[in-house]
Amino acid sequence: MGKKKPRPRRSFTPEFKAEIVELCRRGDRSVGQVAKDFDLTETAVRLWVSQAEADAGEEPGLTTGERAELVRLRQENHRLRQDVDVLKRATAFFANETR
């Protein structure tokens, strides 16, 4: 038996995710059934439902806005650390030049 090819990564609009979450919340179908009906992974649907509940304040966790801010701050922190590293190396270089 050959290896199963991995499914290519797909992206979905916020509107589509909201519709899927609403279908799950109605209670007509289980999360697994909704995922199967729309050819989605059950894990992805559960994450979308969980994130929607966090955004609504129904579940503890970071909201979507807080997550975006955290990503932005981490990127900025990484860039600033690189800048400091460059400045440290430049300082060391010029300190050795003056001797």
Side-chain angles (χ1 to χ4, degrees):
M1 283 187 119
K3 282 190 176 180
K4 188 176 178 184
K5 267 189 148 181
R7 175 187 281 192
R9 188 165 187 91
R10 300 180 293 172
S11 61
F12 301 97
T13 64
E15 293 81 16
F16 177 76
K17 291 179 183 181
E19 287 179 32
I20 296 298
V21 168
E22 183 57 35
L23 285 173
C24 293
R25 283 186 169 179
R26 274 194 221 141
D28 300 349
R29 296 182 273 181
S30 68
V31 172
Q33 187 59 49
V34 171
K36 193 178 207 180
D37 292 348
F38 288 89
D39 190 30
L40 302 167
T41 63
E42 194 171 333
T43 304
V45 174
R46 287 189 191 284
L47 287 172
W48 296 348
V49 170
S50 180
Q51 186 61 55
E53 289 172 351
D55 288 346
E58 300 166 2
E59 185 178 294
L62 296 176
T63 64
T64 302
E66 291 169 336
R67 265 184 210 283
E69 182 181 16
L70 183 60
V71 167
R72 183 186 61 77
L73 291 172
R74 284 181 175 162
Q75 289 171 341
E76 183 179 352
N77 193 10
H78 179 71
R79 185 183 50 78
L80 292 172
R81 284 179 193 269
Q82 287 178 326
D83 291 350
V84 167
D85 203 32
V86 167
L87 291 173
K88 281 181 185 177
R89 281 188 259 134
T91 302
F93 175 78
F94 288 117
N96 288 334
E97 280 263 321
T98 58
R99 291 185 184 169

